[in-house]
Structures are given as C-alpha cells and as structure tokens.
Amino acid sequence: MKIILATQNQGKIKELQELLADETIDVLSLQDIEEWEDVEENGVTFADNAALKARAAVKKTGLIALADDSGLEVDALNNAPGVYSARFAGEPKDDERNNDKLLQELESIPDGSRTARFRCALVVVTPEGEEFLTEGSVEGQILRQRRGQKGFGYDPLFYVPEYARTMAELTLTEKNKLSHRAQAFRKVIPILQALKGHIIT
C-alpha cells in the first residue's frame, strides 16, 4: 500500500518510515513527485497549513496524503515563532539563522523562564475528501547554546528534562518515543489501518 507524505524534509520522512516499519505501508514523499509546486502555507494554525499541503498532495497523486505542520512555541515570546517557525529568520528557510535569531530574542530571558514546546498537527486527506486530524506536543526548555548533532530545526536548542538531553542528542528511537511529530504519527496509524481499502497499491 502506498501513501504520500507531503514533505521533502528527510528527517520527517525517516521518522514516519521508522514508525510504520511494522506496517505494510509504503511511504512516498514529495521527492518522488515530478513538477511539485510548493503550497503557500498561509494558514493561521498548524492544522490549517497541514490540511493545505495534504489536499494538494491528494490532488496531485490520487493517493491518501499525510501532511504535518509543526513548530516551536516559546512562552516568553507569546508562543512565537509558532506557524512561522521554519521562516523565523526570513527567507530562504535556514535552520542555523532561525536558531541564531531565537537565541538573540531570548538573550535577556532567565533560564527558569525559557519554557517552550514543540507542537505538531498532522492531517490525513483521502481522495474521497475525508479528512482526519491528529496532534502531539512535547514540553521543554530553550538552552543558551546548541548541543547535539542529530535532528534538525530547533532540536539542538530544545532541552528535554525527562532525558536530560536536547532533541539533537537523542537517538531516532528515543526521539520517536516522545517527539510531538511521533505522537501525532502514532495516533494516525489506526486511521491508516482503517483506510487500507482506499489506498492505491
């Protein structure tokens, strides 16, 4: 069975493939689609943006499509960068510049007030127009310097007290136990199982 994950982010693709390793589901991505045009993510919530991408992927491929939108919410910044997480430092998207800007914005914030969370909304859209939403979140703190070489995005600055490490210091297996995206992806597995009759093989 084939589904399309509407992303070109290799990290997200690997995470979903790892979670679906025991399922008979073949995960394609936008890297497998010719002439894909990026969708303008102009929604006001993570769920809005995820739905926009999933609907476009269904229209393009005829496959059941999954799309997520996720980002970082920092309490001291009134939940910014939020839906603008990927472009926090402007265009073009750049993880290093985003992290630099985050550190700059939080420079005067004391350690005890640097609480934050990763939040994810995952939308499944079928060719028949059915839509399903799952969500996940993980709480943490923003460090004052990067730690770790794994992961992507804000992972090197996001400290997880439960593991006493940053997201970028966790193995993929550990990250898949707790991450916001992993939570949303795990919740979607029974939805995909129920939709197996729709999936084009």
Side-chain angles (χ1 to χ4, degrees), residues 160-177:
V160 185
E162 179 184 354
Y163 283 76
R165 280 175 284 166
T166 67
M167 281 285 200
E169 293 176 306
L170 300 177
T171 66
L172 184 59
T173 299
E174 289 172 328
K175 188 175 179 180
N176 278 346
K177 288 180 180 178

Side-chain angles (χ1 to χ4, degrees), residues 115-159:
T115 53
R117 72 203 50 78
F118 277 126
R119 190 180 299 281
C120 174
L122 176 66
V123 172
V124 180
V125 179
T126 71
E128 293 77 20
E130 297 172 285
E131 297 191 5
F132 306 88
L133 169 68
T134 65
E135 296 179 289
S137 64
V138 58
E139 300 289 328
Q141 300 169 337
I142 305 301
L143 298 182
R144 295 188 179 275
Q145 58 187 15
R146 296 166 175 81
R147 279 175 37 183
Q149 302 298 319
K150 305 181 183 72
F152 55 93
Y154 298 96
D155 286 355
L157 291 176
F158 191 88
Y159 179 79

Side-chain angles (χ1 to χ4, degrees), residues 37-94:
E37 296 183 7
D38 285 340
V39 177
E40 183 180 359
E41 297 178 35
N42 54 12
V44 297
T45 67
F46 294 127
D48 289 342
N49 286 335
L52 288 170
K53 291 183 283 188
R55 290 168 191 154
V58 167
K59 186 175 181 180
K60 181 75 173 180
T61 66
L63 297 172
I64 287 177
L66 285 72
D68 84 293
D69 194 43
S70 54
L72 180 69
E73 296 177 343
V74 181
D75 292 320
L77 301 179
N78 295 317
N79 288 337
V83 293
Y84 303 106
S85 292
R87 298 171 176 82
F88 191 39
E91 295 285 5
K93 295 184 288 186
D94 184 274

Side-chain angles (χ1 to χ4, degrees), residues 2-107:
K2 294 180 181 179
I3 61 174
I4 179 82
L5 177 61
T7 186
Q8 299 187 56
N9 185 309
Q10 200 60 42
K12 293 182 182 181
I13 297 165
K14 288 181 179 178
E15 286 182 27
L16 183 58
Q17 289 173 335
E18 174 94 358
L19 286 166
L20 293 177
D22 294 331
E23 304 291 328
T24 54
I25 297 175
D26 184 15
V27 180
L28 303 179
S29 74
L30 298 184
Q31 296 175 346
D32 301 305
I33 298 177
E34 295 182 4
E35 300 178 358
W36 171 262
E37 296 183 7
D38 285 340
V39 177
E40 183 180 359
E41 297 178 35
N42 54 12
V44 297
T45 67
F46 294 127
D48 289 342
N49 286 335
L52 288 170
K53 291 183 283 188
R55 290 168 191 154
V58 167
K59 186 175 181 180
K60 181 75 173 180
T61 66
L63 297 172
I64 287 177
L66 285 72
D68 84 293
D69 194 43
S70 54
L72 180 69
E73 296 177 343
V74 181
D75 292 320
L77 301 179
N78 295 317
N79 288 337
V83 293
Y84 303 106
S85 292
R87 298 171 176 82
F88 191 39
E91 295 285 5
K93 295 184 288 186
D94 184 274
D95 288 348
E96 290 304 306
R97 290 196 301 117
N98 287 339
N99 281 318
D100 287 341
K101 180 175 181 179
L102 181 62
L103 289 172
Q104 183 180 3
E105 295 276 337
L106 293 177
E107 188 174 0

